[in-house]
Amino acid sequence: MGRSLSSLALFISKRLLQLIPVIIAVVTITFFFARISVSNPCAAWEGARASKSSIQACIHYFGLNLPLYVQYERYWAQLLSGNWGIDPNSGQPVLPTILSAFPETLELVLAALFLIVVVGIPLGVIAANSNGRLGDHLVRIFYLSGWATPTYLAATVLAIGVGSTLGISSGTFTTNPPPFPQPTHFSVLDALLAGNLAATWDALVHLILPAVALAFLNMGIVTRLTRSAMLETLPLDFVKTARMKGLSEFRVLYKHALRHSLITTTTILGLTAGYLLGSTVVVEEIFQWPGIGAYAYTAVTTYSFSGTLGVVIFFAIGVVFANLIADILYGVLDPRVEWR
Amino acid sequence: MTTRPALSRLARSAALFLRVMRANPLTLAGFVLVVLTLAAAFAVVAIPVITQLLGHPMSALPYDPNELDPQNRFASPSWAHLMGTDDVGHDIFSRVLAALPLDLFIGFAIAGFSLGLGAGLGLVAGFWDTPRTAGGVLSAVILRGTDVFLTFPTLVLALAIAASLGRGTLPSMLAVMATWWPFYVRLTRGEVLAIKQQPYVTAARVAGVSEARILVSHVLRNLLEPLVVYFTLDVGTVIVTYSTISFIGIGVPEGVPEWGNMINHYQPFFLTDPGMIGFVALAIFVTVLAFSLLGDGLRDVLDPRSRRALASATMNPSLAPKLASKPAGEQE
């Protein structure tokens, strides 16, 4: 196998096949967690004042009196047919709600990843290049501060403190819903498609604060890894050669050394995307961003089990795909990697 | 004769400690802060107990953290109330201090549990991973299980478990523990695999050293440093994660002084009285920063990868770790 497109396709399809057992395990674990930790979900679904008969009807309706393996089988059949249950609070089906909320979350996560890449990676380069000196210490304090600031705290400060001072409302636009169709549910893209530049700017302004809140904690991981990867790369011969050729320091650092160091960082970016996805729960709730994170928050705090399970399964699949994409990027960056 | 090796070991530890602290002033700051937080937490817990035994019960806190003082709500910081009072007249300083032992305990308990379980599983999965043996099968099972748990975003799974177990300190701690251990499995297994390939392990095998001895005095001994580093960093991360669960309102019971809980409670007053959130935030920030500074500094000196990186300016570059050349296929 080499690095041709056909071997890349084979690599991706193999990885997608490997997803199947992971997803089966994820669903199985969530099913048993839900059934074992909550012996009678109907009591919760029907509310505290439910009559005995309505709880009985609910148990019968959801088949909770059936043997566990029959319930497990039914659970799978439902998941595969796209029926992920009804949210008991909103009365809306879970899967369509998640699917329409997902692009909003993806937009937020991508914006945060963008910030992490454009700020976190150069900071790592700067720290490595001034190893042990003032620049290194300053960068270290910056990323450890991010590490020590819980995401919900950054989000609270940015949303309530900065946002309301600058007059930036919560949500994706100043007026929600915006006066144009939202075919993609990416707020910036929707505004662009509608040809509304003012709304595009508005969407960008609304995206920045939650993206910063989301990125701040995780930026440190990327900076830290870029720093140590650069520390390993800088003494290598090819960097010395680049310097000896008389290339500018910028080219040496960012074109030659960084490309080599990025191989490590990319793998972590996949993991980071997973963390970011999880952190959207608090960020979206605080910024009232209409994504799956906010939906997860509502589902968890209102004890909506179908909603919670749906979100957990969906998030798990999201993380697996993020790692797959990171692996592909890893191969693109490292010419020595063969697809297999 | 028995005291001399013990002494020299102590001296070596002291020398190592000095080397770590001198390598970076920030590490020293972290160390001092960690010692101070631990001492403060110890004082909060121990002073009432000790003074009780002596017959004069006293508290380390200036006020009872749960004492309501309706006359004195939203007081600004003063000598009487160092951090002011909150919406029901609680002394914020007393509450922040009262939360310190609880939050540290949660951090150490969750990270410690994960360290024990994860390092144990990782050691098994790394040391006995010969294919087509019972150990190899077990190792594969552990790894697949770990991979599945790593697939869940920690926070979301912990939230889901915490929500289904019901509100309470112990259930929510269990929820975080259930999602936390897989990282330690990965870390430990990776380290064990790397250690196993070291020439000194091969040399010990060739010399006829027993497997048990290799496990204890070579593998375990060399695992210690990366695990200590990771654990130190992790205590802070756990505190942040757990306080998130409390912030959302499914962690410690309502009214219990815990930092995440307090920030959630003080959130509505952020614009009118930013100090309330500010002081709690400062407590989280300083505590987590302390553990991070210490762990980060320790890693630079103790972690073989970074140590090699730091030293590689003068070393043969071919000794630089080969991590970068690991092909994508091995990731799985």
Side-chain angles (χ1 to χ4, degrees):
Chain A
M1 300 226 189
R3 287 180 57 82
S4 65
L5 267 182
S6 62
S7 48
L8 175 64
L10 196 66
F11 169 76
I12 294 177
S13 41
K14 266 171 88 176
R15 287 299 306 263
L16 287 176
L17 275 180
Q18 284 175 4
L19 282 188
I20 296 173
V22 172
I23 290 173
I24 291 177
V26 162
V27 170
T28 309
I29 290 175
T30 43
F31 172 81
F32 283 101
F33 255 130
R35 281 295 175 273
I36 290 166
S37 59
V38 189
S39 50
N40 188 1
C42 273
W45 287 336
E46 296 289 304
R49 292 187 199 154
S51 65
K52 275 215 165 88
S53 62
S54 74
I55 291 181
Q56 275 307 319
C58 165
I59 288 178
H60 193 74
Y61 181 74
F62 286 101
L64 296 176
N65 48 353
L66 297 171
L68 210 56
Y69 68 92
V70 180
Q71 289 189 39
Y72 180 63
E73 205 181 292
R74 280 193 172 192
Y75 185 67
W76 264 110
Q78 282 186 354
L79 281 184
L80 290 178
S81 65
N83 172 14
W84 287 24
I86 306 285
D87 193 301
N89 301 300
S90 64
Q92 298 291 318
V94 170
L95 186 59
T97 314
I98 292 180
L99 286 180
S100 71
F102 177 61
E104 308 274 11
T105 300
L106 189 61
E107 181 180 36
L108 191 55
V109 168
L110 288 178
L113 269 181
F114 176 76
L115 283 177
I116 288 176
V117 168
V118 298
V119 180
I121 292 180
L123 280 181
V125 176
I126 292 170
N129 202 34
S130 59
N131 182 20
R133 294 195 301 274
L134 185 64
D136 190 18
H137 294 326
L138 288 180
V139 170
R140 188 183 295 240
I141 289 174
F142 174 75
Y143 75 68
L144 290 179
S145 307
W147 197 267
T149 309
T151 303
Y152 61 85
L153 187 63
T156 306
V157 171
L158 286 175
I160 306 180
V162 180
S164 56
T165 314
L166 297 180
I168 303 169
S169 60
S170 297
T172 42
F173 293 99
T174 307
T175 48
N176 270 315
F180 45 82
Q182 291 180 281
T184 62
H185 281 284
F186 287 93
S187 59
V188 177
L189 199 60
D190 280 337
L192 266 183
L193 284 177
N196 191 335
L197 282 181
T200 312
W201 175 245
D202 188 42
L204 274 175
V205 167
H206 280 81
L207 183 58
I208 288 173
L209 289 181
V212 170
L214 194 55
F216 194 45
L217 189 139
N218 293 287
M219 199 175 277
I221 307 171
V222 172
T223 305
R224 154 100 230 174
L225 268 159
T226 310
R227 173 180 174 271
S228 53
M230 283 293 282
L231 280 179
E232 284 163 15
T233 308
L234 287 176
L236 295 183
D237 285 341
F238 78 94
V239 180
K240 288 181 191 151
T241 314
R243 284 222 167 92
M244 273 189 285
K245 279 197 296 189
L247 295 182
S248 71
E249 191 63 16
F250 185 83
R251 267 183 89 85
V252 171
L253 285 182
Y254 288 88
K255 191 125 195 300
H256 292 253
L258 182 59
R259 183 178 162 133
H260 184 264
S261 311
L262 274 185
I263 298 165
T264 324
T265 313
T266 325
T267 327
I268 293 304
L269 277 181
L271 281 178
T272 309
Y275 287 131
L276 292 178
L277 215 49
S279 310
T280 55
V281 175
V282 274
V283 172
E284 288 187 357
E285 174 56 27
I286 293 169
F287 281 94
Q288 288 163 29
W289 192 263
I292 28 177
Y295 179 68
Y297 184 96
T298 321
V300 165
T301 49
T302 57
Y303 301 95
S304 152
F305 291 99
S306 43
T308 309
L309 290 187
V311 167
V312 168
I313 294 172
F314 198 84
F315 270 128
I317 296 172
V319 173
V320 173
F321 272 95
N323 286 329
L324 175 65
I325 294 170
D327 272 2
I328 294 171
L329 279 179
Y330 182 85
V332 171
L333 278 169
D334 188 346
R336 289 166 301 181
V337 168
E338 298 201 340
W339 307 114
R340 56 188 179 117
Chain B
M1 281 309 283
T2 48
T3 53
R4 195 182 275 169
L7 254 183
S8 77
R9 185 173 293 173
L10 200 70
R12 241 187 303 151
S13 307
L16 181 69
F17 177 79
L18 277 180
R19 190 159 59 91
V20 171
M21 292 306 147
R22 225 179 325 161
N24 196 326
L26 293 178
T27 317
L28 183 64
F31 176 74
V32 171
L33 279 175
V34 165
V35 170
L36 284 179
T37 14
L38 289 178
F42 180 76
V44 171
V45 176
I47 286 184
V49 179
I50 295 171
T51 49
Q52 174 86 45
L53 287 177
L54 295 177
H56 295 281
M58 273 171 63
S59 170
L61 309 171
Y63 295 86
D64 177 351
N66 293 312
E67 184 190 273
L68 299 176
D69 184 1
Q71 308 296 319
N72 221 343
R73 299 161 64 223
F74 299 112
S76 304
S78 62
W79 285 115
H81 298 279
L82 279 179
M83 298 181 178
T85 58
D86 65 11
D87 54 320
V88 287
H90 289 142
D91 177 48
I92 297 177
F93 180 63
S94 299
R95 279 182 88 75
V96 166
L97 266 189
L100 177 66
L102 177 64
D103 274 283
L104 282 182
F105 166 74
I106 288 170
F108 275 98
I110 294 174
F113 168 84
S114 308
L115 173 71
L117 180 65
L121 289 176
L123 191 62
V124 171
F127 197 70
W128 290 282
D129 71 333
T130 328
R132 281 185 284 279
T133 60
V137 174
L138 183 64
S139 160
V141 169
I142 292 174
L143 280 182
R144 289 296 150 267
T146 309
D147 279 354
V148 171
F149 270 92
L150 278 175
T151 311
F152 292 105
T154 313
L155 186 61
V156 181
L157 184 61
L159 283 178
I161 300 175
S164 43
L165 290 177
R167 188 170 185 155
T169 311
L170 196 64
S172 46
M173 281 173 69
L174 285 176
V176 182
M177 284 174 186
T179 58
W180 215 256
W181 57 271
F183 301 101
Y184 283 89
V185 179
R186 269 291 179 85
L187 173 76
T188 311
R189 177 175 173 270
E191 292 292 336
V192 171
L193 288 182
I195 294 168
K196 264 170 60 178
Q197 287 171 358
Q198 296 293 324
Y200 58 76
V201 173
T202 319
R205 282 232 166 85
V206 172
V209 177
S210 74
E211 285 295 293
R213 182 91 196 267
I214 290 179
L215 182 66
V216 174
S217 55
H218 293 291
V219 177
L220 271 182
R221 172 67 192 81
N222 285 292
L223 257 181
L224 215 57
E225 285 171 357
L227 283 181
V228 164
V229 168
Y230 191 81
F231 181 82
T232 314
L233 281 168
D234 207 36
V235 169
T237 319
V238 171
I239 292 177
V240 165
T241 306
Y242 185 85
S243 72
T244 307
I245 287 174
S246 270
F247 174 81
I248 284 173
I250 48 183
V252 298
E254 183 77 47
V256 170
E258 193 277 339
W259 294 331
N261 211 6
M262 289 165 76
I263 291 190
N264 182 26
H265 188 79
Y266 295 162
Q267 204 189 343
F269 314 107
F270 182 59
L271 277 186
T272 50
D273 213 338
M276 283 161 65
I277 278 194
F279 285 117
V280 187
L282 194 68
I284 299 186
F285 185 83
V286 170
T287 311
V288 178
L289 189 70
F291 282 96
S292 308
L293 280 173
L294 181 62
D296 210 42
L298 284 178
R299 174 150 62 183
D300 264 357
V301 184
L302 297 181
D303 179 9
R305 283 216 325 124
S306 321
R307 185 170 51 202
R308 241 174 294 165
L310 286 171
S312 58
T314 54
M315 263 165 44
N316 181 350
S318 69
L319 289 177
K322 295 289 183 234
L323 183 95
S325 57
K326 202 166 68 176
E330 277 178 29
Q331 290 292 310
E332 292 196 298

